[in-house]
Amino acid sequence: MLILVLNAGSSSLKYQLINVQTAEVKASGLCERIGIDGVMKHEIAEHRKLQIDHPMPTHKEAIEFMLDILTHDDTQVIANIDEIAAVGHRVVHGGEYFNKSILINANVVKKIEELVPLAPLHNPAHILGIKICQELLPGKPNVAVFDTAFHQTMPEENYLYAVPHEDYTEHHLRKYGFHGTSHYYVSDQAIQMLDKKESKVIVCHLGNGSSICAVKDGKSIDTTMGLTPLEGLVMGTRSGDIDAGVIPYLMDKKGMDSNQMINYLNKKSGILGVSGISSDLREVIKAAKDGDHRSKICIEMMCNRIKKYICSYIGILGGVDAICFTAGIGENADLIREKSCANLEFLGIELDKKKNKKRESGNREINKDNSPVKIYVIPTNEEYVIAQDTYNLVKG
Ligand code: AMP
């Protein structure tokens, strides 16, 4: 059964066509600069890559173009769109409405719309993607898979902020957490590798956006992102944790309004702001090796913040069986893994430097043979989870 997995962003659209029984990715791609000019990068199973400039004034043209390419004579991914059984949509915010994936109907769309104030950049694009698929693929089921759903098992004491309780009851103010599909996939893989009935796992999803999750017996009990994806770790362009007093102080000093301030913390801070070089960690690592002081400090800040959360989650879990690294940085940056685990031997976390440096694909163990705590690198696969959830909901 072929499932189309869509991740509609404000000016981009990522897609994969997945055979859910074999896990084969038949095609994948990315439409960028929607509403500006339009570029599509498309890859088909045998690693044939295409890059096409094509006008995409709106998401509708982007999705139409993607369907054209999938069925085009030259690419021959599928003969016609009827071969697509269903569409799985990544939806960033499901609030407290959704603790698992769901078949989309008018009521589900309405609830995703209600949650726009909590995810103003993401949920409107997801709704667009859903409505366009309903129009262009009539009769095909659509499923929503939420980034927040996995974290709905967090206990109250971990998701509430220490502000008056009415802010939660009246304004839905709480920690929701994000990257849930990735945290679910990676922790599930780790639990299989551990082969234990009861498990305590910490997942470090380190990419352009980063978060850590404490997972007990397969359930999220705490995570670093909060009401929005700004809280927690030092990220590509996001500050992560910051004293709330910084906000009025900087607004006053720099003459910024609240929108400009939140944009500053979301888009101009983090690795980019501290290093002054780039939000791309590869460039910052290179600059640090060349002696750039701010880049060196930036790497130390990132790793100390990761370490701080690993240790606090060990406290909350009451121990740990495995620490997992995933996403662009977690899977590829051995320096960050090494620094984040350094000096934690007293907690039984013993990284094997040689194994850590090896460039291998797939799930792998990078702890010393006798390390009481396992350290895993597990490539994330959110698209596969979305395809599987979609399949499970539509197969009946
Ligand atoms: P993601 O959002 O998961 O695609 O991750 C993007 C981040 O991964 C960027 O900051 C990249 O610089 C970083 N990244 C990817 N490959 C490497 C690498 N080999 N070394 C260090 N950082 C990397």
Side-chain angles (χ1 to χ4, degrees), residues 14 179 205-209 236 271 278-285 326-336 359 380 382:
K14 278 193 207 151
H179 294 138
H205 176 113
L206 310 176
N208 194 33
I271 298 176
S278 170
S279 62
D280 187 324
L281 185 68
R282 283 166 290 203
E283 290 182 36
V284 176
I285 291 177
T326 195
I329 295 172
E331 290 167 32
N332 299 299
D334 53 271
L335 176 75
I336 302 300
R359 295 210 150 262
T380 194
E382 289 154 284

PDB file of all heavy atoms in Angstrom, residues 14 179 205-209 236 271 278-285 326-336 359 380 382, ligand 1:
ATOM      1  N   LYS A  14       7.376  19.247   2.085  1.00  0.00           N
ATOM      2  CA  LYS A  14       8.212  18.042   1.994  1.00  0.00           C
ATOM      3  C   LYS A  14       7.285  16.868   1.752  1.00  0.00           C
ATOM      4  O   LYS A  14       6.189  16.827   2.332  1.00  0.00           O
ATOM      5  CB  LYS A  14       8.950  17.800   3.309  1.00  0.00           C
ATOM      6  CG  LYS A  14      10.197  18.612   3.463  1.00  0.00           C
ATOM      7  CD  LYS A  14      11.000  18.053   4.640  1.00  0.00           C
ATOM      8  CE  LYS A  14      11.848  19.142   5.241  1.00  0.00           C
ATOM      9  NZ  LYS A  14      12.131  18.990   6.636  1.00  0.00           N
ATOM     10  N   HIS A 179       8.494  17.463  18.365  1.00  0.00           N
ATOM     11  CA  HIS A 179       9.322  16.346  17.869  1.00  0.00           C
ATOM     12  C   HIS A 179       8.815  14.999  18.394  1.00  0.00           C
ATOM     13  O   HIS A 179       9.577  14.027  18.481  1.00  0.00           O
ATOM     14  CB  HIS A 179      10.800  16.487  18.310  1.00  0.00           C
ATOM     15  CG  HIS A 179      11.531  17.651  17.720  1.00  0.00           C
ATOM     16  ND1 HIS A 179      12.379  18.435  18.463  1.00  0.00           N
ATOM     17  CD2 HIS A 179      11.544  18.164  16.476  1.00  0.00           C
ATOM     18  CE1 HIS A 179      12.891  19.385  17.707  1.00  0.00           C
ATOM     19  NE2 HIS A 179      12.384  19.237  16.482  1.00  0.00           N
ATOM     20  N   HIS A 205      17.071  14.653  20.422  1.00  0.00           N
ATOM     21  CA  HIS A 205      16.824  14.971  19.006  1.00  0.00           C
ATOM     22  C   HIS A 205      17.524  16.305  18.743  1.00  0.00           C
ATOM     23  O   HIS A 205      17.058  17.357  19.175  1.00  0.00           O
ATOM     24  CB  HIS A 205      15.307  15.079  18.756  1.00  0.00           C
ATOM     25  CG  HIS A 205      14.964  15.493  17.347  1.00  0.00           C
ATOM     26  ND1 HIS A 205      14.338  14.657  16.446  1.00  0.00           N
ATOM     27  CD2 HIS A 205      15.159  16.659  16.696  1.00  0.00           C
ATOM     28  CE1 HIS A 205      14.177  15.296  15.299  1.00  0.00           C
ATOM     29  NE2 HIS A 205      14.660  16.519  15.427  1.00  0.00           N
ATOM     30  N   LEU A 206      18.683  16.237  18.083  1.00  0.00           N
ATOM     31  CA  LEU A 206      19.501  17.443  17.894  1.00  0.00           C
ATOM     32  C   LEU A 206      19.584  17.763  16.411  1.00  0.00           C
ATOM     33  O   LEU A 206      20.309  17.095  15.659  1.00  0.00           O
ATOM     34  CB  LEU A 206      20.907  17.223  18.471  1.00  0.00           C
ATOM     35  CG  LEU A 206      20.984  16.666  19.905  1.00  0.00           C
ATOM     36  CD1 LEU A 206      22.433  16.412  20.305  1.00  0.00           C
ATOM     37  CD2 LEU A 206      20.304  17.609  20.891  1.00  0.00           C
ATOM     38  N   GLY A 207      18.817  18.734  15.983  1.00  0.00           N
ATOM     39  CA  GLY A 207      18.841  19.152  14.582  1.00  0.00           C
ATOM     40  C   GLY A 207      18.884  20.662  14.548  1.00  0.00           C
ATOM     41  O   GLY A 207      19.408  21.294  15.469  1.00  0.00           O
ATOM     42  N   ASN A 208      18.297  21.246  13.524  1.00  0.00           N
ATOM     43  CA  ASN A 208      18.198  22.697  13.506  1.00  0.00           C
ATOM     44  C   ASN A 208      17.303  23.137  14.673  1.00  0.00           C
ATOM     45  O   ASN A 208      17.606  24.072  15.390  1.00  0.00           O
ATOM     46  CB  ASN A 208      17.661  23.135  12.145  1.00  0.00           C
ATOM     47  CG  ASN A 208      17.863  24.600  11.957  1.00  0.00           C
ATOM     48  OD1 ASN A 208      18.840  25.169  12.444  1.00  0.00           O
ATOM     49  ND2 ASN A 208      16.907  25.234  11.307  1.00  0.00           N
ATOM     50  N   GLY A 209      16.201  22.414  14.863  1.00  0.00           N
ATOM     51  CA  GLY A 209      15.421  22.508  16.104  1.00  0.00           C
ATOM     52  C   GLY A 209      15.817  21.307  16.950  1.00  0.00           C
ATOM     53  O   GLY A 209      16.027  20.227  16.399  1.00  0.00           O
ATOM     54  N   GLY A 236      19.552  25.997  16.302  1.00  0.00           N
ATOM     55  CA  GLY A 236      20.147  26.691  15.149  1.00  0.00           C
ATOM     56  C   GLY A 236      19.996  28.207  15.262  1.00  0.00           C
ATOM     57  O   GLY A 236      20.984  28.948  15.218  1.00  0.00           O
ATOM     58  N   ILE A 271      22.665  29.115  17.889  1.00  0.00           N
ATOM     59  CA  ILE A 271      24.005  28.925  17.306  1.00  0.00           C
ATOM     60  C   ILE A 271      24.378  30.136  16.442  1.00  0.00           C
ATOM     61  O   ILE A 271      25.501  30.636  16.490  1.00  0.00           O
ATOM     62  CB  ILE A 271      24.032  27.623  16.446  1.00  0.00           C
ATOM     63  CG1 ILE A 271      23.731  26.397  17.324  1.00  0.00           C
ATOM     64  CG2 ILE A 271      25.360  27.462  15.728  1.00  0.00           C
ATOM     65  CD1 ILE A 271      23.638  25.081  16.562  1.00  0.00           C
ATOM     66  N   SER A 278      26.984  31.292  11.625  1.00  0.00           N
ATOM     67  CA  SER A 278      25.962  30.571  10.870  1.00  0.00           C
ATOM     68  C   SER A 278      25.072  29.807  11.845  1.00  0.00           C
ATOM     69  O   SER A 278      25.458  29.558  12.988  1.00  0.00           O
ATOM     70  CB  SER A 278      26.656  29.580   9.923  1.00  0.00           C
ATOM     71  OG  SER A 278      25.727  28.696   9.344  1.00  0.00           O
ATOM     72  N   SER A 279      23.894  29.399  11.355  1.00  0.00           N
ATOM     73  CA  SER A 279      23.065  28.502  12.168  1.00  0.00           C
ATOM     74  C   SER A 279      23.435  27.049  11.859  1.00  0.00           C
ATOM     75  O   SER A 279      22.947  26.131  12.507  1.00  0.00           O
ATOM     76  CB  SER A 279      21.579  28.735  11.856  1.00  0.00           C
ATOM     77  OG  SER A 279      21.330  28.427  10.503  1.00  0.00           O
ATOM     78  N   ASP A 280      24.271  26.855  10.839  1.00  0.00           N
ATOM     79  CA  ASP A 280      24.675  25.507  10.420  1.00  0.00           C
ATOM     80  C   ASP A 280      25.880  25.091  11.270  1.00  0.00           C
ATOM     81  O   ASP A 280      26.960  25.687  11.158  1.00  0.00           O
ATOM     82  CB  ASP A 280      25.026  25.529   8.928  1.00  0.00           C
ATOM     83  CG  ASP A 280      25.295  24.137   8.390  1.00  0.00           C
ATOM     84  OD1 ASP A 280      25.865  23.306   9.127  1.00  0.00           O
ATOM     85  OD2 ASP A 280      24.938  23.874   7.230  1.00  0.00           O
ATOM     86  N   LEU A 281      25.681  24.081  12.085  1.00  0.00           N
ATOM     87  CA  LEU A 281      26.718  23.698  13.048  1.00  0.00           C
ATOM     88  C   LEU A 281      28.031  23.304  12.367  1.00  0.00           C
ATOM     89  O   LEU A 281      29.108  23.511  12.921  1.00  0.00           O
ATOM     90  CB  LEU A 281      26.213  22.556  13.941  1.00  0.00           C
ATOM     91  CG  LEU A 281      27.172  22.160  15.048  1.00  0.00           C
ATOM     92  CD1 LEU A 281      27.307  23.268  16.091  1.00  0.00           C
ATOM     93  CD2 LEU A 281      26.725  20.877  15.722  1.00  0.00           C
ATOM     94  N   ARG A 282      27.943  22.752  11.151  1.00  0.00           N
ATOM     95  CA  ARG A 282      29.181  22.346  10.465  1.00  0.00           C
ATOM     96  C   ARG A 282      30.134  23.526  10.308  1.00  0.00           C
ATOM     97  O   ARG A 282      31.335  23.418  10.528  1.00  0.00           O
ATOM     98  CB  ARG A 282      28.864  21.750   9.087  1.00  0.00           C
ATOM     99  CG  ARG A 282      28.329  20.339   9.171  1.00  0.00           C
ATOM    100  CD  ARG A 282      27.720  19.896   7.891  1.00  0.00           C
ATOM    101  NE  ARG A 282      26.472  20.616   7.634  1.00  0.00           N
ATOM    102  CZ  ARG A 282      25.511  20.180   6.851  1.00  0.00           C
ATOM    103  NH1 ARG A 282      25.653  19.043   6.222  1.00  0.00           N
ATOM    104  NH2 ARG A 282      24.412  20.883   6.669  1.00  0.00           N
ATOM    105  N   GLU A 283      29.559  24.679   9.940  1.00  0.00           N
ATOM    106  CA  GLU A 283      30.402  25.875   9.744  1.00  0.00           C
ATOM    107  C   GLU A 283      30.979  26.367  11.062  1.00  0.00           C
ATOM    108  O   GLU A 283      32.104  26.858  11.118  1.00  0.00           O
ATOM    109  CB  GLU A 283      29.579  26.992   9.087  1.00  0.00           C
ATOM    110  CG  GLU A 283      29.239  26.673   7.641  1.00  0.00           C
ATOM    111  CD  GLU A 283      28.469  27.804   6.979  1.00  0.00           C
ATOM    112  OE1 GLU A 283      28.756  28.972   7.291  1.00  0.00           O
ATOM    113  OE2 GLU A 283      27.584  27.505   6.165  1.00  0.00           O
ATOM    114  N   VAL A 284      30.186  26.224  12.125  1.00  0.00           N
ATOM    115  CA  VAL A 284      30.629  26.704  13.442  1.00  0.00           C
ATOM    116  C   VAL A 284      31.739  25.785  13.982  1.00  0.00           C
ATOM    117  O   VAL A 284      32.720  26.259  14.552  1.00  0.00           O
ATOM    118  CB  VAL A 284      29.423  26.805  14.405  1.00  0.00           C
ATOM    119  CG1 VAL A 284      29.852  27.201  15.804  1.00  0.00           C
ATOM    120  CG2 VAL A 284      28.414  27.823  13.852  1.00  0.00           C
ATOM    121  N   ILE A 285      31.610  24.477  13.751  1.00  0.00           N
ATOM    122  CA  ILE A 285      32.667  23.543  14.186  1.00  0.00           C
ATOM    123  C   ILE A 285      33.968  23.863  13.444  1.00  0.00           C
ATOM    124  O   ILE A 285      35.052  23.904  14.017  1.00  0.00           O
ATOM    125  CB  ILE A 285      32.233  22.073  13.959  1.00  0.00           C
ATOM    126  CG1 ILE A 285      31.097  21.711  14.934  1.00  0.00           C
ATOM    127  CG2 ILE A 285      33.409  21.114  14.140  1.00  0.00           C
ATOM    128  CD1 ILE A 285      30.525  20.302  14.756  1.00  0.00           C
ATOM    129  N   THR A 326      19.894  11.534  17.909  1.00  0.00           N
ATOM    130  CA  THR A 326      19.260  11.462  16.583  1.00  0.00           C
ATOM    131  C   THR A 326      19.193  12.832  15.937  1.00  0.00           C
ATOM    132  O   THR A 326      19.552  13.837  16.542  1.00  0.00           O
ATOM    133  CB  THR A 326      17.852  10.817  16.693  1.00  0.00           C
ATOM    134  OG1 THR A 326      17.412  10.453  15.376  1.00  0.00           O
ATOM    135  CG2 THR A 326      16.827  11.775  17.311  1.00  0.00           C
ATOM    136  N   ALA A 327      18.744  12.860  14.659  1.00  0.00           N
ATOM    137  CA  ALA A 327      18.597  14.065  13.801  1.00  0.00           C
ATOM    138  C   ALA A 327      19.972  14.554  13.325  1.00  0.00           C
ATOM    139  O   ALA A 327      20.997  13.958  13.676  1.00  0.00           O
ATOM    140  CB  ALA A 327      17.810  15.157  14.507  1.00  0.00           C
ATOM    141  N   GLY A 328      19.965  15.624  12.508  1.00  0.00           N
ATOM    142  CA  GLY A 328      21.178  16.043  11.777  1.00  0.00           C
ATOM    143  C   GLY A 328      22.426  16.107  12.639  1.00  0.00           C
ATOM    144  O   GLY A 328      23.476  15.549  12.283  1.00  0.00           O
ATOM    145  N   ILE A 329      22.335  16.772  13.784  1.00  0.00           N
ATOM    146  CA  ILE A 329      23.511  16.904  14.663  1.00  0.00           C
ATOM    147  C   ILE A 329      23.726  15.606  15.446  1.00  0.00           C
ATOM    148  O   ILE A 329      24.841  15.077  15.514  1.00  0.00           O
ATOM    149  CB  ILE A 329      23.314  18.106  15.619  1.00  0.00           C
ATOM    150  CG1 ILE A 329      23.268  19.405  14.807  1.00  0.00           C
ATOM    151  CG2 ILE A 329      24.395  18.136  16.687  1.00  0.00           C
ATOM    152  CD1 ILE A 329      22.878  20.646  15.611  1.00  0.00           C
ATOM    153  N   GLY A 330      22.666  15.079  16.021  1.00  0.00           N
ATOM    154  CA  GLY A 330      22.777  13.871  16.847  1.00  0.00           C
ATOM    155  C   GLY A 330      23.327  12.683  16.071  1.00  0.00           C
ATOM    156  O   GLY A 330      24.085  11.872  16.603  1.00  0.00           O
ATOM    157  N   GLU A 331      22.964  12.587  14.789  1.00  0.00           N
ATOM    158  CA  GLU A 331      23.401  11.438  13.992  1.00  0.00           C
ATOM    159  C   GLU A 331      24.804  11.634  13.415  1.00  0.00           C
ATOM    160  O   GLU A 331      25.495  10.664  13.133  1.00  0.00           O
ATOM    161  CB  GLU A 331      22.417  11.201  12.825  1.00  0.00           C
ATOM    162  CG  GLU A 331      21.073  10.687  13.280  1.00  0.00           C
ATOM    163  CD  GLU A 331      20.010  10.746  12.195  1.00  0.00           C
ATOM    164  OE1 GLU A 331      20.337  10.590  11.004  1.00  0.00           O
ATOM    165  OE2 GLU A 331      18.826  10.969  12.546  1.00  0.00           O
ATOM    166  N   ASN A 332      25.203  12.903  13.211  1.00  0.00           N
ATOM    167  CA  ASN A 332      26.441  13.148  12.464  1.00  0.00           C
ATOM    168  C   ASN A 332      27.574  13.817  13.222  1.00  0.00           C
ATOM    169  O   ASN A 332      28.720  13.724  12.809  1.00  0.00           O
ATOM    170  CB  ASN A 332      26.132  14.031  11.234  1.00  0.00           C
ATOM    171  CG  ASN A 332      25.161  13.346  10.297  1.00  0.00           C
ATOM    172  OD1 ASN A 332      25.460  12.282   9.769  1.00  0.00           O
ATOM    173  ND2 ASN A 332      23.994  13.935  10.103  1.00  0.00           N
ATOM    174  N   ALA A 333      27.258  14.544  14.298  1.00  0.00           N
ATOM    175  CA  ALA A 333      28.307  15.347  14.940  1.00  0.00           C
ATOM    176  C   ALA A 333      28.892  14.604  16.136  1.00  0.00           C
ATOM    177  O   ALA A 333      28.414  14.732  17.264  1.00  0.00           O
ATOM    178  CB  ALA A 333      27.738  16.702  15.358  1.00  0.00           C
ATOM    179  N   ASP A 334      29.974  13.818  15.883  1.00  0.00           N
ATOM    180  CA  ASP A 334      30.577  13.040  16.976  1.00  0.00           C
ATOM    181  C   ASP A 334      31.118  13.955  18.071  1.00  0.00           C
ATOM    182  O   ASP A 334      31.097  13.616  19.254  1.00  0.00           O
ATOM    183  CB  ASP A 334      31.664  12.097  16.433  1.00  0.00           C
ATOM    184  CG  ASP A 334      32.690  12.815  15.608  1.00  0.00           C
ATOM    185  OD1 ASP A 334      32.502  12.951  14.380  1.00  0.00           O
ATOM    186  OD2 ASP A 334      33.674  13.258  16.183  1.00  0.00           O
ATOM    187  N   LEU A 335      31.556  15.157  17.690  1.00  0.00           N
ATOM    188  CA  LEU A 335      32.086  16.104  18.683  1.00  0.00           C
ATOM    189  C   LEU A 335      31.018  16.469  19.717  1.00  0.00           C
ATOM    190  O   LEU A 335      31.288  16.511  20.921  1.00  0.00           O
ATOM    191  CB  LEU A 335      32.554  17.384  17.960  1.00  0.00           C
ATOM    192  CG  LEU A 335      33.051  18.500  18.854  1.00  0.00           C
ATOM    193  CD1 LEU A 335      34.445  18.185  19.386  1.00  0.00           C
ATOM    194  CD2 LEU A 335      33.076  19.842  18.113  1.00  0.00           C
ATOM    195  N   ILE A 336      29.813  16.707  19.253  1.00  0.00           N
ATOM    196  CA  ILE A 336      28.724  17.108  20.161  1.00  0.00           C
ATOM    197  C   ILE A 336      28.342  15.928  21.057  1.00  0.00           C
ATOM    198  O   ILE A 336      28.104  16.089  22.250  1.00  0.00           O
ATOM    199  CB  ILE A 336      27.496  17.616  19.350  1.00  0.00           C
ATOM    200  CG1 ILE A 336      27.890  18.787  18.451  1.00  0.00           C
ATOM    201  CG2 ILE A 336      26.319  17.979  20.264  1.00  0.00           C
ATOM    202  CD1 ILE A 336      28.433  20.003  19.180  1.00  0.00           C
ATOM    203  N   ARG A 359      31.987   6.392  11.153  1.00  0.00           N
ATOM    204  CA  ARG A 359      30.850   6.876  10.355  1.00  0.00           C
ATOM    205  C   ARG A 359      30.116   5.660   9.795  1.00  0.00           C
ATOM    206  O   ARG A 359      30.557   5.052   8.843  1.00  0.00           O
ATOM    207  CB  ARG A 359      31.337   7.760   9.205  1.00  0.00           C
ATOM    208  CG  ARG A 359      31.991   9.009   9.689  1.00  0.00           C
ATOM    209  CD  ARG A 359      31.819  10.164   8.715  1.00  0.00           C
ATOM    210  NE  ARG A 359      31.801  11.414   9.454  1.00  0.00           N
ATOM    211  CZ  ARG A 359      30.702  12.055   9.794  1.00  0.00           C
ATOM    212  NH1 ARG A 359      29.534  11.591   9.451  1.00  0.00           N
ATOM    213  NH2 ARG A 359      30.764  13.183  10.465  1.00  0.00           N
ATOM    214  N   THR A 380      16.588   9.017  12.903  1.00  0.00           N
ATOM    215  CA  THR A 380      15.144   9.152  13.076  1.00  0.00           C
ATOM    216  C   THR A 380      14.417   8.864  11.756  1.00  0.00           C
ATOM    217  O   THR A 380      15.015   8.908  10.672  1.00  0.00           O
ATOM    218  CB  THR A 380      14.771  10.556  13.617  1.00  0.00           C
ATOM    219  OG1 THR A 380      13.420  10.517  14.060  1.00  0.00           O
ATOM    220  CG2 THR A 380      14.963  11.665  12.598  1.00  0.00           C
ATOM    221  N   GLU A 382      10.679   9.964  10.971  1.00  0.00           N
ATOM    222  CA  GLU A 382       9.331  10.442  11.278  1.00  0.00           C
ATOM    223  C   GLU A 382       8.347  10.083  10.157  1.00  0.00           C
ATOM    224  O   GLU A 382       7.189   9.762  10.413  1.00  0.00           O
ATOM    225  CB  GLU A 382       9.357  11.964  11.465  1.00  0.00           C
ATOM    226  CG  GLU A 382      10.049  12.383  12.747  1.00  0.00           C
ATOM    227  CD  GLU A 382      10.639  13.782  12.687  1.00  0.00           C
ATOM    228  OE1 GLU A 382      11.696  13.942  12.044  1.00  0.00           O
ATOM    229  OE2 GLU A 382      10.052  14.697  13.269  1.00  0.00           O
TER     230      GLU A 382
HETATM  231  P1  AMP B   1      18.200  18.623  10.837  1.00  0.00           P
HETATM  232  O1  AMP B   1      17.340  19.785  11.266  1.00  0.00           O
HETATM  233  O2  AMP B   1      17.882  17.363  11.591  1.00  0.00           O
HETATM  234  O3  AMP B   1      18.237  18.423   9.357  1.00  0.00           O
HETATM  235  O4  AMP B   1      19.709  18.994  11.259  1.00  0.00           O
HETATM  236  C1  AMP B   1      20.366  20.103  10.733  1.00  0.00           C
HETATM  237  C2  AMP B   1      21.637  20.377  11.539  1.00  0.00           C
HETATM  238  O5  AMP B   1      22.506  19.225  11.480  1.00  0.00           O
HETATM  239  C3  AMP B   1      22.444  21.552  11.023  1.00  0.00           C
HETATM  240  O6  AMP B   1      22.873  22.378  12.095  1.00  0.00           O
HETATM  241  C4  AMP B   1      23.676  20.876  10.412  1.00  0.00           C
HETATM  242  O7  AMP B   1      24.800  21.702  10.495  1.00  0.00           O
HETATM  243  C5  AMP B   1      23.831  19.685  11.324  1.00  0.00           C
HETATM  244  N1  AMP B   1      24.690  18.662  10.719  1.00  0.00           N
HETATM  245  C6  AMP B   1      24.419  17.854   9.662  1.00  0.00           C
HETATM  246  N2  AMP B   1      25.510  17.087   9.379  1.00  0.00           N
HETATM  247  C7  AMP B   1      26.464  17.420  10.296  1.00  0.00           C
HETATM  248  C8  AMP B   1      27.812  16.988  10.547  1.00  0.00           C
HETATM  249  N3  AMP B   1      28.394  16.058   9.796  1.00  0.00           N
HETATM  250  N4  AMP B   1      28.488  17.572  11.568  1.00  0.00           N
HETATM  251  C9  AMP B   1      27.923  18.524  12.321  1.00  0.00           C
HETATM  252  N5  AMP B   1      26.653  18.966  12.145  1.00  0.00           N
HETATM  253  C10 AMP B   1      25.943  18.428  11.152  1.00  0.00           C
END
